[in-house]
């Protein structure tokens, strides 16, 4: 394996527990919190955070996932006005405290796309952002409310958050671009 493990499994679970406690502390009414995981790995992290919040606070937390592909600003023009096909059984975001969960924040473009998608679903009371890794290099003025680890990187490096569901292991790996971690 190329790359260096910068957050091992045990540390990652401890960090997700800390993030869960921070979300509880900032949001006294956790039952109004709607966790939304950004596909793919953000969803896995959001599931862990949901379980932690429910265990630590004895309050029920709703979870939803979002695919922001059609909201990305680096796609062709034909995707500029995506159409949402909402399912009737989807949880409303109206008046809710939405906590977006993602694995890594880099330029901020994924978070911006997710916020746009959420706003197209309704009017949340607030939108907060929780990320496992903040690696810097923002192109947009977006800062997460909850950060697992700040990992200063160069643009020639990549950060890969691995989760059991997709990778068979839970850890964070730092490698040079072009190397598979």
């Amino acid at each position: 394996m190329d790359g260096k493990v910068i957050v091992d499994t045990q540390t990652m679970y401890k960090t997700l527990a800390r993030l869960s406690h921070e979300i509880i502390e900032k949001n006294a009414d956790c039952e109004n919190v709607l966790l939304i995981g950004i596909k793919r790995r953000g969803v896995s992290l959001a599931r862990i955070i949901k379980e932690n919040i429910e265990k630590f606070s004895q309050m029920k937390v709703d979870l939803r996932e979002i695919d922001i592909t059609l909201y990305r600003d680096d796609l062709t023009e034909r995707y500029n006005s995506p159409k949402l096909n909402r399912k009737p059984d989807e949880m409303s975001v109206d008046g809710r405290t939405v906590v977006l969960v993602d694995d890594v924040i880099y330029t901020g473009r994924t978070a911006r796309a997710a916020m746009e998608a959420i706003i197209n679903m309704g009017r949340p009371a607030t939108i907060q952002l929780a990320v496992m890794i903040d690696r810097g290099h923002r192109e947009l003025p977006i800062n997460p409310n909850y950060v697992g680890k700040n990992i200063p990187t160069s643009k020639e490096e990549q950060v890969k958050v691995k989760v059991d569901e997709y990778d068979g292991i839970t850890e964070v790996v730092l490698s040079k671009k072009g190397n598979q971690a």
Side-chain angles (χ1 to χ4, degrees):
M1 172 188 84
D2 291 329
K4 176 183 175 189
V5 174
I6 54 175
V7 179
D8 63 24
T9 302
Q10 183 178 5
T11 303
M12 193 155 158
Y13 280 108
K14 283 181 181 177
T15 301
L16 290 168
R18 179 179 51 79
L19 288 174
S20 303
H21 280 293
E22 289 177 14
I23 292 168
I24 292 167
E25 289 170 14
K26 186 167 182 174
N27 301 287
D29 180 13
C30 282
E31 291 180 353
N32 192 43
V33 169
L34 172 58
L35 292 172
I36 299 182
I38 300 174
K39 284 188 176 178
R40 290 188 1 169
R41 286 167 180 80
V43 175
S44 299
L45 299 176
R47 283 189 192 115
I48 296 167
I49 291 171
K50 172 186 169 46
E51 290 170 9
N52 286 340
I53 290 173
E54 290 179 348
K55 181 171 71 175
F56 302 149
S57 73
Q58 287 75 48
M59 286 190 250
K60 178 99 173 94
V61 179
D62 292 324
L63 173 67
R64 191 168 163 185
E65 57 187 60
I66 193 167
D67 182 349
I68 54 93
T69 304
L70 297 179
Y71 290 89
R72 295 200 53 97
D73 61 3
D74 53 358
L75 295 177
T76 62
E77 281 188 37
R78 68 186 174 120
Y79 292 113
N80 279 346
S81 298
K83 301 288 186 246
L84 279 179
N85 296 319
R86 291 185 65 180
K87 299 174 190 162
D89 61 340
E90 283 185 336
M91 289 170 261
S92 172
V93 299
D94 293 336
R96 304 285 301 268
T97 297
V98 171
V99 179
L100 276 171
V101 180
D102 203 6
D103 55 352
V104 178
I105 188 165
Y106 181 39
T107 63
R109 294 187 181 279
T110 297
R112 184 218 48 88
M115 286 188 283
E116 185 177 334
I118 288 167
I119 290 167
N120 279 338
M121 292 178 206
R123 187 177 172 96
T126 62
I127 299 175
Q128 300 171 8
L129 178 60
V131 298
M132 182 64 200
I133 303 294
D134 183 346
R135 62 172 290 192
H137 304 285
R138 229 55 103 242
E139 293 175 2
L140 300 173
I142 295 174
N143 285 309
N145 303 81
Y146 314 100
V147 177
K149 298 278 183 192
N150 286 295
I151 308 290
T153 63
S154 75
K155 291 186 177 187
E156 289 73 43
E157 294 173 309
Q158 64 184 21
V159 175
K160 173 79 172 182
V161 173
K162 295 184 176 187
V163 294
D164 283 329
E165 183 177 354
Y166 298 112
D167 308 297
I169 190 165
T170 300
E171 64 184 13
V172 181
V173 176
L174 179 66
S175 62
K176 294 288 182 193
K177 280 192 176 170
N179 291 346
Q180 290 301 314

